[in-house]
Amino acid sequence: MTELNTESARRAIVEHTRGLAESAAAAGPDAAVPTAPKWTITDLVEHVGQTQNWVASIIEQRITDPRQLPMEMAVLPADPDQWQAWLSESAQRVVSACSDEALDAPVFNPAGDERSGTRFWISSLLNEAVVHGFDAAAAANRPLDVDADIAAALIGNHLAMLTSPTWKMQRAESAEAIRGTGQTLQWLATDLADDTGAWFIERGPDGPTWQRGTQPADVTVSGPARSLLLTLTRRLPLTGPEAADLRVDGDTDLAQHWLDNTAHVSG
């Protein structure tokens, strides 16, 4: 998986958390989140801030044993006027915890893949800030810009999670649903070069595999990297008026089936 420069990822976590906080303030604490129907803005802010503080504790303490993961969660301030400062502090805390020194230190990685724990958490936290930033923006009816290289890195992270050693344990139904007999899907970012903006998936009997690059596929979904990311994380639909900048060539049902069975973002 091609990863963002670590400093760029840390900076993006702070910037997207700030944007999320601004959207939350514009929407108001009781506003419904249309892209996460079970949540209000209060739930969204609490989740993001608690997650950032929780992960910061894991990395700061160099926790490697999942049985020792923190049990207590940070408390959301009762006054919504304090939420922007609270989120700013949680974002700054966690990017400080993800220091250069911590990058390859022993830290628990829930995916069980080849990444160090801290590198896993950086990608996961950036995904949280970007995708939930879109949730907050949708609630406030505000636009959300996502740099193409950030979106591409998060698409790679998304696919890495779905094919990680622990996905079968965490999401057995999903793992079973995305097995196949050779069906292929191509995701193609039109605003990036093929070596960084193309993802080819093959669904086999033992589960899916993926690689960067382009190959003939049963279905090809193309569009800006931002739109691909938000579609893969089920924040935007595959077809219809909201998917105007996406093009689907081939077996649309195959692509939709993949989306219907691969959610792993909270909410």
Side-chain angles (χ1 to χ4, degrees):
M1 179 181 66
T2 301
E3 295 183 358
L4 275 180
N5 171 277
T6 304
E7 184 55 38
S8 297
R10 288 187 286 234
R11 184 167 58 250
I13 289 170
V14 172
E15 291 173 352
H16 279 275
T17 302
R18 181 187 304 117
L20 185 157
E22 292 170 353
S23 292
D30 297 325
V33 180
T35 47
K38 296 180 181 179
W39 282 3
T40 64
I41 283 292
T42 299
D43 299 321
L44 184 63
V45 170
E46 182 176 49
H47 168 77
V48 172
Q50 285 185 338
T51 299
Q52 290 178 341
N53 279 293
W54 184 73
V55 171
S57 295
I58 294 170
I59 298 172
E60 289 163 354
Q61 299 174 46
R62 302 291 194 268
I63 293 175
T64 59
D65 186 343
R67 294 171 297 182
Q68 297 176 353
L69 293 173
M71 299 297 293
E72 295 185 5
M73 303 299 283
V75 178
L76 176 71
D79 183 357
D81 290 340
Q82 298 178 19
W83 290 357
Q84 285 181 274
W86 185 67
L87 284 173
S88 176
E89 290 169 2
S90 67
Q92 291 290 345
R93 179 188 176 192
V94 80
V95 298
S96 295
C98 295
S99 63
D100 289 346
E101 180 185 359
L103 287 180
D104 295 309
V107 173
F108 174 59
N109 171 1
D113 58 21
E114 73 283 356
R115 289 176 286 180
S116 70
T118 300
R119 293 181 190 277
F120 163 84
W121 289 116
I122 288 175
S123 294
S124 295
L125 290 166
L126 180 55
N127 187 78
E128 288 271 313
V130 170
V131 175
H132 288 320
F134 179 80
D135 291 334
N141 197 26
R142 301 176 73 207
L144 177 73
D145 292 327
V146 182
D147 289 345
D149 58 343
I150 290 175
L154 293 180
I155 291 170
N157 178 67
H158 177 81
L159 297 176
M161 288 293 293
L162 295 173
T163 55
S164 67
T166 61
W167 187 253
K168 294 177 184 178
M169 294 184 289
Q170 296 169 346
R171 291 288 311 281
E173 290 184 3
S174 170
E176 181 61 31
I178 60 178
R179 295 177 191 272
T181 55
Q183 297 89 343
T184 54
L185 304 91
Q186 176 78 64
W187 302 86
L188 183 62
T190 54
D191 50 353
L192 289 169
D194 285 355
D195 58 342
T196 58
W199 302 266
F200 178 81
I201 301 168
E202 182 170 1
R203 293 172 51 175
D206 295 328
T209 59
W210 71 279
Q211 59 184 291
R212 288 193 178 272
T214 58
Q215 297 186 42
D218 296 319
V219 61
T220 297
V221 182
S222 54
R226 169 192 178 275
S227 297
L228 293 180
L229 171 66
L230 294 172
T231 300
L232 283 163
T233 53
R234 307 205 305 186
R235 265 49 191 183
L236 290 177
L238 180 66
T239 59
E242 291 183 80
D245 58 357
L246 290 182
R247 174 175 172 174
V248 183
D249 295 303
D251 189 347
T252 302
D253 289 344
L254 176 62
Q256 189 61 58
H257 180 272
W258 177 269
L259 297 175
D260 290 342
N261 289 280
T262 53
H264 66 79
V265 176
S266 300

